Amino acid sequence: MDNKIKIAVNGGIGFGAKLNSKQLMTISKYMDEEDELELTTFQQLYIEILEDDKDEVIKEFESVGLKCYPVGNYVKSLRTCNFCKGEEREGMPVAKEINRRIAGKPVPFTLKVAYTGCIIGCGEPMLSDIGVMKYKDHYNLYVGGKAKGKDAEVGSLLRENLTPEELYDIVEKIIAVYAEKGKKRETFHKFLKRIGKEQLIS
Ligand code: SF4
């Protein structure tokens, strides 16, 4: 029997989590009438494709501007706000660069990273494992948010007034520490409680 695998797809980082009709038509080419797309809470669609077709499908998806990511214990693609105040003012290039550096990296358990272009915080960075909030010309970094469960928690500030380069370095470092020292299937929230915030970047 032909093996199927699940991949995550979205339209990349832009003004809102949108897909155009060409992208939708391209996705539907690889679906039978009874197939379903799963809409996740994380601005991704899950689609099942034949494992043997994976490279070809991803190439075609990317040719129409879709972004493809693995499903499972990886860093999710960056969740963002809608950048309503403009691309530059709200740091869209910085969000794209963060996503380029981290999305799809293997980690002990699915890791959610969110970005928001101003302190109104529509991207909900405080409820994500790692959250970035642009404030004036700099970036504040939060860790330890947990949106789910009775023990849901708001993240706390780890560093503030970061430049883009400082932000990239520290986010990559946190993910590397979690990938290295986290136990198998240990959530980032639990990991952080176990090792303590400052150990993340010591
Ligand atoms: S966080 Fe700020 S820039 Fe982003 S969508 Fe909300 S109000 Fe607009």
Side-chain angles (χ1 to χ4, degrees):
M1 211 182 99
D2 290 326
N3 276 343
K4 285 198 158 189
I5 55 157
K6 207 182 260 189
I7 60 167
V9 177
N10 65 25
I13 293 172
F15 297 106
K18 295 175 185 162
L19 294 174
N20 61 37
S21 61
K22 194 170 179 188
Q23 291 167 337
L24 287 170
M25 284 191 289
T26 306
I27 291 171
S28 67
K29 263 176 67 179
Y30 291 92
M31 297 177 71
D32 292 328
E33 271 186 26
E34 65 281 4
D35 286 348
E36 293 175 327
L37 268 184
E38 183 181 342
L39 274 173
T40 73
T41 53
F42 228 70
Q43 298 176 339
Q44 291 184 333
L45 296 169
Y46 285 170
I47 176 173
E48 283 196 338
I49 56 169
L50 291 174
E51 193 168 15
D52 287 347
D53 293 347
K54 184 181 164 205
D55 291 346
E56 175 205 330
V57 173
I58 289 177
K59 201 169 161 203
E60 185 165 0
F61 282 6
E62 288 179 346
S63 75
V64 293
L66 292 166
K67 303 287 180 197
C68 303
Y69 303 97
V71 172
N73 293 327
Y74 299 94
V75 181
K76 304 292 277 182
S77 52
L78 192 70
R79 181 176 183 176
T80 65
C81 72
N82 289 346
F83 300 97
C84 72
K85 292 175 184 162
E87 179 170 350
E88 289 301 324
R89 187 168 156 201
E90 307 314 333
M92 197 194 292
V94 171
K96 286 181 176 169
E97 180 61 14
I98 296 171
N99 190 59
R100 192 189 67 74
R101 291 186 184 220
I102 65 171
K105 286 200 168 175
V107 278
F109 195 80
T110 309
L111 184 79
K112 296 173 179 176
V113 187
Y115 177 97
T116 207
C118 80
I119 57 169
I120 293 173
C122 304
E124 301 180 352
M126 311 293 284
L127 294 175
S128 295
D129 294 312
I130 299 173
V132 177
M133 182 181 281
K134 186 165 191 282
Y135 180 56
K136 296 182 179 168
D137 291 331
H138 287 83
Y139 298 84
N140 292 349
L141 183 65
Y142 299 83
V143 289
K146 182 177 185 292
K148 293 197 291 190
K150 282 195 289 187
D151 57 346
E153 213 175 295
V154 172
S156 61
L157 186 68
L158 183 69
R159 287 288 183 273
E160 59 186 337
N161 291 321
L162 298 168
T163 64
E165 285 303 327
E166 288 169 337
L167 178 66
Y168 305 146
D169 287 351
I170 196 166
V171 168
E172 284 189 305
K173 182 161 188 207
I174 291 169
I175 290 170
V177 170
Y178 177 45
E180 187 196 334
K181 297 187 176 163
K183 297 176 188 167
K184 198 171 175 210
R185 294 196 55 78
E186 182 179 37
T187 63
F188 184 76
H189 188 258
K190 278 193 183 150
F191 172 71
L192 198 56
K193 296 263 184 238
R194 179 163 67 80
I195 71 156
K197 220 164 66 167
E198 287 307 317
Q199 288 300 314
L200 277 180
I201 47 171
S202 61

